[in-house]
mmCIF file of all heavy atoms in Angstrom:
data_model
loop_
_atom_site.group_PDB
_atom_site.id
_atom_site.type_symbol
_atom_site.label_atom_id
_atom_site.label_comp_id
_atom_site.label_asym_id
_atom_site.label_seq_id
_atom_site.Cartn_x
_atom_site.Cartn_y
_atom_site.Cartn_z
ATOM 1 N N GLN F 10 5.347 -0.120 10.918
ATOM 2 C CA GLN F 10 6.357 -0.970 10.390
ATOM 3 C C GLN F 10 6.921 -0.371 9.037
ATOM 4 O O GLN F 10 8.074 -0.658 8.684
ATOM 5 C CB GLN F 10 5.813 -2.448 10.163
ATOM 6 C CG GLN F 10 4.688 -2.549 9.142
ATOM 7 C CD GLN F 10 3.342 -2.592 9.938
ATOM 8 O OE1 GLN F 10 3.281 -2.114 10.990
ATOM 9 N NE2 GLN F 10 2.316 -3.177 9.196
ATOM 10 N N ARG F 13 9.580 1.938 10.149
ATOM 11 C CA ARG F 13 10.675 1.069 10.726
ATOM 12 C C ARG F 13 11.490 0.524 9.576
ATOM 13 O O ARG F 13 12.813 0.720 9.447
ATOM 14 C CB ARG F 13 10.175 0.035 11.484
ATOM 15 C CG ARG F 13 11.087 -1.020 12.038
ATOM 16 C CD ARG F 13 10.257 -2.124 12.830
ATOM 17 N NE ARG F 13 10.966 -3.205 13.176
ATOM 18 C CZ ARG F 13 11.336 -3.542 14.486
ATOM 19 N NH1 ARG F 13 10.922 -2.750 15.467
ATOM 20 N NH2 ARG F 13 11.916 -4.690 14.791
ATOM 21 N N ALA F 34 5.835 4.000 21.543
ATOM 22 C CA ALA F 34 6.427 2.697 21.408
ATOM 23 C C ALA F 34 5.922 2.022 20.102
ATOM 24 O O ALA F 34 5.626 0.882 19.949
ATOM 25 C CB ALA F 34 6.162 1.861 22.678
ATOM 26 N N SER F 35 5.826 2.802 19.040
ATOM 27 C CA SER F 35 5.473 2.198 17.639
ATOM 28 C C SER F 35 6.697 1.406 17.203
ATOM 29 O O SER F 35 7.761 1.524 17.715
ATOM 30 C CB SER F 35 5.200 3.435 16.770
ATOM 31 O OG SER F 35 4.074 4.121 17.127
ATOM 32 N N PRO F 36 6.466 0.619 16.201
ATOM 33 C CA PRO F 36 7.479 -0.313 15.567
ATOM 34 C C PRO F 36 8.775 0.386 15.338
ATOM 35 O O PRO F 36 9.942 -0.073 15.431
ATOM 36 C CB PRO F 36 6.828 -0.840 14.283
ATOM 37 C CG PRO F 36 5.419 -1.024 14.669
ATOM 38 C CD PRO F 36 5.051 0.292 15.539
ATOM 39 N N ALA F 39 11.877 1.967 18.267
ATOM 40 C CA ALA F 39 13.158 1.159 18.834
ATOM 41 C C ALA F 39 14.293 1.567 18.051
ATOM 42 O O ALA F 39 15.426 1.414 18.665
ATOM 43 C CB ALA F 39 12.810 -0.458 18.710
ATOM 44 N N LEU F 310 2.143 -14.952 16.478
ATOM 45 C CA LEU F 310 3.504 -15.194 16.143
ATOM 46 C C LEU F 310 3.661 -16.609 15.820
ATOM 47 O O LEU F 310 3.383 -17.446 16.665
ATOM 48 C CB LEU F 310 4.399 -14.685 17.191
ATOM 49 C CG LEU F 310 4.587 -13.138 17.207
ATOM 50 C CD1 LEU F 310 5.272 -12.681 18.450
ATOM 51 C CD2 LEU F 310 5.276 -12.526 16.016
ATOM 52 N N HIS F 325 11.019 -10.941 9.039
ATOM 53 C CA HIS F 325 10.888 -9.502 9.464
ATOM 54 C C HIS F 325 9.771 -9.528 10.616
ATOM 55 O O HIS F 325 8.646 -9.610 10.284
ATOM 56 C CB HIS F 325 10.574 -8.634 8.255
ATOM 57 C CG HIS F 325 11.522 -8.637 7.219
ATOM 58 N ND1 HIS F 325 12.416 -7.488 7.060
ATOM 59 C CD2 HIS F 325 11.793 -9.511 6.225
ATOM 60 C CE1 HIS F 325 13.240 -7.803 5.995
ATOM 61 N NE2 HIS F 325 12.824 -8.912 5.470
ATOM 62 N N LEU F 326 10.243 -9.142 11.716
ATOM 63 C CA LEU F 326 9.169 -8.922 12.822
ATOM 64 C C LEU F 326 9.162 -7.475 13.279
ATOM 65 O O LEU F 326 10.248 -6.835 13.207
ATOM 66 C CB LEU F 326 9.621 -9.761 14.009
ATOM 67 C CG LEU F 326 9.481 -11.348 13.745
ATOM 68 C CD1 LEU F 326 10.007 -11.941 15.066
ATOM 69 C CD2 LEU F 326 8.121 -11.781 13.451
ATOM 70 N N TYR F 327 7.979 -6.956 13.498
ATOM 71 C CA TYR F 327 7.858 -5.477 13.595
ATOM 72 C C TYR F 327 7.799 -5.066 15.026
ATOM 73 O O TYR F 327 7.603 -3.878 15.334
ATOM 74 C CB TYR F 327 6.466 -5.023 12.902
ATOM 75 C CG TYR F 327 6.280 -5.473 11.501
ATOM 76 C CD1 TYR F 327 4.968 -5.682 10.957
ATOM 77 C CD2 TYR F 327 7.338 -5.590 10.700
ATOM 78 C CE1 TYR F 327 4.885 -6.096 9.689
ATOM 79 C CE2 TYR F 327 7.304 -6.057 9.308
ATOM 80 C CZ TYR F 327 6.002 -6.301 8.771
ATOM 81 O OH TYR F 327 5.914 -6.789 7.488
ATOM 82 N N GLY F 328 8.013 -5.968 16.012
ATOM 83 C CA GLY F 328 8.046 -5.737 17.396
ATOM 84 C C GLY F 328 6.589 -5.157 17.913
ATOM 85 O O GLY F 328 6.633 -4.410 18.790
ATOM 86 N N LYS F 329 5.523 -5.813 17.361
ATOM 87 C CA LYS F 329 4.251 -5.501 17.807
ATOM 88 C C LYS F 329 3.692 -6.583 18.697
ATOM 89 O O LYS F 329 3.931 -7.832 18.459
ATOM 90 C CB LYS F 329 3.233 -5.306 16.715
ATOM 91 C CG LYS F 329 3.608 -4.032 15.793
ATOM 92 C CD LYS F 329 3.193 -3.944 14.370
ATOM 93 C CE LYS F 329 1.697 -3.622 14.139
ATOM 94 N NZ LYS F 329 1.372 -3.548 12.818
ATOM 95 N N GLN F 330 2.723 -6.111 19.611
ATOM 96 C CA GLN F 330 2.025 -7.287 20.438
ATOM 97 C C GLN F 330 0.986 -7.942 19.543
ATOM 98 O O GLN F 330 0.273 -7.273 18.817
ATOM 99 C CB GLN F 330 1.341 -6.556 21.594
ATOM 100 C CG GLN F 330 2.282 -6.063 22.724
ATOM 101 C CD GLN F 330 3.056 -7.166 23.183
ATOM 102 O OE1 GLN F 330 2.581 -8.316 23.512
ATOM 103 N NE2 GLN F 330 4.427 -6.925 23.425
ATOM 104 N N PRO F 331 1.004 -9.274 19.668
ATOM 105 C CA PRO F 331 -0.110 -10.037 18.756
ATOM 106 C C PRO F 331 -1.432 -9.639 19.150
ATOM 107 O O PRO F 331 -1.822 -9.224 20.363
ATOM 108 C CB PRO F 331 0.177 -11.465 19.244
ATOM 109 C CG PRO F 331 1.640 -11.610 19.790
ATOM 110 C CD PRO F 331 1.846 -10.254 20.462
ATOM 111 N N ARG F 335 -4.036 -8.216 13.224
ATOM 112 C CA ARG F 335 -2.721 -7.301 13.304
ATOM 113 C C ARG F 335 -1.665 -7.857 12.491
ATOM 114 O O ARG F 335 -1.252 -8.961 12.626
ATOM 115 C CB ARG F 335 -2.398 -7.117 14.684
ATOM 116 C CG ARG F 335 -1.590 -5.850 14.956
ATOM 117 C CD ARG F 335 -1.398 -5.508 16.409
ATOM 118 N NE ARG F 335 -1.062 -4.062 16.609
ATOM 119 C CZ ARG F 335 -0.384 -3.617 17.717
ATOM 120 N NH1 ARG F 335 0.003 -4.477 18.536
ATOM 121 N NH2 ARG F 335 -0.232 -2.273 17.637
ATOM 122 N N LYS F 336 -1.004 -6.983 11.653
ATOM 123 C CA LYS F 336 0.221 -7.380 10.945
ATOM 124 C C LYS F 336 1.314 -7.324 11.861
ATOM 125 O O LYS F 336 1.816 -6.208 12.345
ATOM 126 C CB LYS F 336 0.370 -6.505 9.649
ATOM 127 C CG LYS F 336 -0.682 -6.643 8.519
ATOM 128 C CD LYS F 336 -0.366 -5.729 7.427
ATOM 129 C CE LYS F 336 -1.487 -5.830 6.421
ATOM 130 N NZ LYS F 336 -1.406 -4.722 5.349
ATOM 131 N N LEU F 337 1.957 -8.502 12.212
ATOM 132 C CA LEU F 337 3.005 -8.538 13.157
ATOM 133 C C LEU F 337 4.411 -8.693 12.501
ATOM 134 O O LEU F 337 5.379 -8.327 13.076
ATOM 135 C CB LEU F 337 2.843 -9.824 14.050
ATOM 136 C CG LEU F 337 1.430 -9.822 14.735
ATOM 137 C CD1 LEU F 337 1.433 -11.196 15.423
ATOM 138 C CD2 LEU F 337 1.314 -8.638 15.731
ATOM 139 N N GLY F 338 4.322 -9.066 11.252
ATOM 140 C CA GLY F 338 5.665 -9.214 10.524
ATOM 141 C C GLY F 338 5.319 -9.865 9.186
ATOM 142 O O GLY F 338 4.279 -9.999 8.698
#
Side-chain angles (χ1 to χ4, degrees):
Q10 63 264 22
R13 177 177 168 117
S35 296
L310 285 171
H325 297 257
L326 296 176
Y327 308 148
K329 290 158 87 173
Q330 285 305 314
R335 201 173 199 205
K336 289 177 184 169
L337 304 176

